[in-house]
Amino acid sequence: PGPAQGNFQVIERKKKSAKPKADPLFKPEYTKINREIIVETTAPSDVNPSEIRTLVNARIQDESCHFISARRTPKDNFILETKFVTPATKAMEYAKEIEEALLTLQVPVAVIRANSKWSKFLLHGIPTTVGEGIEAGQLVASEIRSNYGENFQLAQVPRWISRAETRMEKTHS
């Protein structure tokens, strides 16, 4: 309370003390995405993900690269997650052992890769002369790399949003 002024008393608002943020008890060295290996398959498999994890871990000599979990995705692929202190890139050194274990379980492997963050975006002003398909995508990707950084990778074949007939009279789209 402050001093009285006339019939009114001025009240000063008390400042709330800032609560200290709790320190997390456990903070992993690498994020979950950085610790995941994705096994893309060519056909569905009835194999239990825990069987995959057990067999893969048995094949890998380095215990720091063992997996703590395995799960199936809706597209019938598998995701193997490394320990909290091991990045997926280190575990990828054992891709051959992982593939051998999966073949033993008759899992039809297409690709084994480390998971990574990705983005989907729309580009404007692309010359219509670049064409279509992967060659056009590589050309656009190299242009993006030169302007925005070397870390850009093309994950899928880019596609035009407009139809070819619509782009015929345009120089850019």
Side-chain angles (χ1 to χ4, degrees), residues 30-46:
Y30 296 99
T31 64
K32 188 172 183 176
I33 287 178
N34 295 340
R35 295 184 292 112
E36 291 179 338
I37 287 183
I38 298 175
V39 178
E40 294 181 18
T41 59
T42 57
S45 172
D46 293 335

Side-chain angles (χ1 to χ4, degrees), residues 37-42 52 56 71 73 75-80 98-99 102 107-113:
I37 287 183
I38 298 175
V39 178
E40 294 181 18
T41 59
T42 57
I52 291 174
V56 167
R71 67 184 187 276
T73 69
K75 292 184 177 182
D76 280 320
N77 296 324
F78 293 95
I79 296 179
L80 300 168
I98 295 169
E99 186 172 11
L102 293 166
V107 175
V109 177
V111 176
I112 298 175
R113 62 180 172 83

Side-chain angles (χ1 to χ4, degrees), residues 10-170:
V10 177
I11 299 174
E12 294 176 17
R13 184 176 271 175
K14 288 184 179 180
K15 291 185 179 180
K16 292 183 179 179
S17 59
K19 290 183 181 178
K21 289 191 176 183
D23 230 10
L25 296 175
F26 177 74
K27 186 175 179 184
E29 192 171 334
Y30 296 99
T31 64
K32 188 172 183 176
I33 287 178
N34 295 340
R35 295 184 292 112
E36 291 179 338
I37 287 183
I38 298 175
V39 178
E40 294 181 18
T41 59
T42 57
S45 172
D46 293 335
V47 178
N48 187 335
S50 64
E51 288 179 65
I52 291 174
R53 182 184 55 82
T54 303
L55 190 56
V56 167
N57 284 344
R59 297 262 175 136
I60 296 175
Q61 299 297 318
D62 184 358
E63 285 191 25
S64 70
C65 289
H66 281 188
F67 296 96
I68 59 171
S69 73
R71 67 184 187 276
R72 184 187 312 267
T73 69
K75 292 184 177 182
D76 280 320
N77 296 324
F78 293 95
I79 296 179
L80 300 168
E81 186 180 334
T82 64
K83 295 179 178 181
F84 299 106
V85 294
T86 308
T89 51
K90 184 168 192 262
M92 278 300 294
E93 295 172 7
Y94 297 96
K96 183 179 176 188
E97 288 83 351
I98 295 169
E99 186 172 11
E100 288 171 357
L102 293 166
L103 292 175
T104 302
L105 293 170
Q106 298 179 344
V107 175
V109 177
V111 176
I112 298 175
R113 62 180 172 83
N115 198 0
S116 60
K117 281 190 172 184
W118 61 276
S119 300
K120 190 177 194 178
F121 52 93
L122 185 66
L123 297 175
H124 295 277
I126 304 297
T128 54
T129 56
V130 298
E132 308 237 1
I134 194 69
E135 295 83 17
Q138 294 301 333
L139 183 65
V140 171
S142 66
E143 184 68 24
I144 291 170
R145 270 190 225 100
S146 67
N147 289 322
Y148 298 104
E150 294 297 319
N151 292 333
F152 179 80
Q153 288 184 331
L154 197 60
Q156 289 184 325
V157 176
R159 61 184 178 86
W160 292 100
I161 293 176
S162 59
R163 293 179 302 204
E165 306 86 59
T166 310
R167 292 190 312 270
M168 282 170 103
E169 301 295 322
K170 295 181 178 182

